[in-house]
Amino acid sequence: MAERIFIAVNRWVLVLLLAAMCCIVFANVVLRYLTNDSIVWAEEVARYLMIWMTFLSAGLALRAGMLVSVSQVHGRLPAAPRRIARLLILAVLLVFFGWMVFAGWEYLSRMGRQLTPATRIPFSYIYYAMPVGFGLLLIHTLLLARRFLAEGHFDHATEADVAAVKG
């Protein structure tokens, strides 16, 4: 139940970010067309929203099996080595995601005091996307770890997920 709520909240945040980005870009295009003037901060904010969407959606993409993977070697191994390979893959993913949370936090700490050009907000608000996104990846991976070790895959993409990606 908690996992479903976690996934739903993750998805709704992405929906809201995408809606905000679309509204800002649409308003900017309409304003530019009608008045020959544009919203000064629209491009910048849309770019930062896209950065946040990229990091926040990575865990859902991992969960749905939509990230690039090399499965040829893994698929050709006998059962016991395949399980060891899955354990090694899982360990590498968890260590990498954990390290990226730390690296993102370090980068945020060093560079976050600068201000964005148009909106004059601290870059830290944008740089938070990296540790938060990799933290979500870490949580999604931990939630799927047992299934991955047993079955050798994360969740399969549902028809709705595939249709959403294809547009």
Side-chain angles (χ1 to χ4, degrees), residues 55 58-60 62 67 94 97 132-142:
F55 279 104
L60 293 174
L62 174 78
L67 295 181
L94 291 173
F97 296 156
V132 169
F134 276 104
L136 288 175
L137 264 167
L138 194 61
I139 293 168
H140 280 288
T141 305
L142 288 170

Side-chain angles (χ1 to χ4, degrees), residues 117-132:
T119 56
R120 307 302 296 164
I121 61 170
F123 268 108
S124 61
Y125 293 127
I126 294 93
Y127 295 151
Y128 270 114
M130 187 175 172
V132 169

Side-chain angles (χ1 to χ4, degrees), residues 4-136:
R4 286 185 183 168
I5 293 171
F6 174 69
I7 293 167
V9 169
N10 196 171
R11 284 184 176 173
W12 275 106
V13 168
L14 288 170
V15 167
L16 293 174
L17 290 175
L18 180 61
M21 187 178 79
C22 289
C23 288
I24 290 168
V25 170
F26 180 76
N28 195 36
V29 169
V30 168
L31 189 62
R32 188 179 307 141
Y33 180 75
L34 294 177
T35 66
N36 230 9
D37 200 10
S38 64
I39 304 169
V40 175
W41 48 266
E43 180 188 348
E44 181 178 290
V45 171
R47 183 180 329 118
Y48 299 149
L49 289 173
M50 187 176 292
I51 290 168
W52 269 95
M53 284 189 307
T54 301
F55 279 104
L56 296 183
S57 65
L60 293 174
L62 174 78
R63 174 177 286 281
M66 294 180 178
L67 295 181
V68 174
S69 66
V70 180
S71 58
Q72 289 298 319
V73 174
H74 176 264
R76 294 180 190 267
L77 292 173
R82 189 178 314 151
R83 192 170 183 91
I84 293 169
R86 286 195 296 253
L87 186 61
L88 183 62
I89 290 167
L90 189 61
V92 167
L93 286 175
L94 291 173
V95 167
F96 177 71
F97 296 156
W99 181 75
M100 290 305 289
V101 169
F102 173 76
W105 189 259
E106 286 294 310
Y107 189 74
L108 161 72
S109 300
R110 282 185 276 130
M111 304 300 288
R113 291 178 198 84
Q114 298 176 7
L115 299 178
T116 61
T119 56
R120 307 302 296 164
I121 61 170
F123 268 108
S124 61
Y125 293 127
I126 294 93
Y127 295 151
Y128 270 114
M130 187 175 172
V132 169
F134 276 104
L136 288 175

